[in-house]
Amino acid sequence: MGDVNDPFYLVKEEIQDSVNKSKGIAERLERLPEGNSERGKYAAQIVSECESVFWQLEELDRATAMAEQDFMRFKVDANELASRKRWTATTKTTVSDLN
């Protein structure tokens, strides 16, 4: 694991909070009966939250690619870069499933 002060981990934590928030909204949406007026509101919140997360994940992918090109400068080794790529890919799948 990298340095906790590494910006990747700060952004990762924010993204994970957003994913958890989206999951909570999705769970509330699933409990609502069809035709409930709140369903549209919750669905819109999920879409908005997921769009934001996807954008943040794309930014992390770009930052990881930059670090991969010059890992000595960014002090990130190949294993750490692979771990970051796996996490963003897994998180994208999770968010896609929510959306």
Side-chain angles (χ1 to χ4, degrees):
M1 179 163 165
D3 183 353
V4 293
N5 292 320
D6 183 331
F8 176 87
Y9 288 98
L10 299 173
V11 173
K12 179 182 174 182
E13 186 177 316
E14 289 177 17
I15 290 172
Q16 191 61 57
D17 288 345
S18 293
V19 170
N20 293 342
K21 177 181 175 183
S22 295
K23 285 179 178 179
I25 295 168
E27 289 170 5
R28 285 191 296 267
L29 178 62
E30 288 177 14
R31 288 192 302 262
L32 290 174
E34 291 294 326
N36 186 303
S37 62
E38 295 290 302
R39 289 183 67 84
K41 179 182 91 170
Y42 288 138
Q45 285 178 340
I46 292 169
V47 168
S48 176
E49 199 70 35
C50 288
E51 287 174 353
S52 175
V53 168
F54 274 124
W55 180 84
Q56 290 174 311
L57 289 167
E58 290 299 318
E59 291 297 311
L60 276 182
D61 281 340
R62 280 193 277 283
T64 300
M66 287 177 55
E68 192 170 36
Q69 290 175 359
D70 192 1
F71 59 88
M72 293 299 285
R73 175 180 172 209
F74 293 100
K75 298 177 177 87
V76 179
D77 66 23
N79 289 333
E80 177 63 22
L81 290 168
S83 173
R84 291 176 184 202
K85 288 179 180 181
R86 276 191 308 276
W87 185 83
T88 56
T90 301
T91 305
K92 284 180 181 179
T93 300
T94 299
V95 173
S96 291
D97 291 346
L98 285 171
N99 205 359

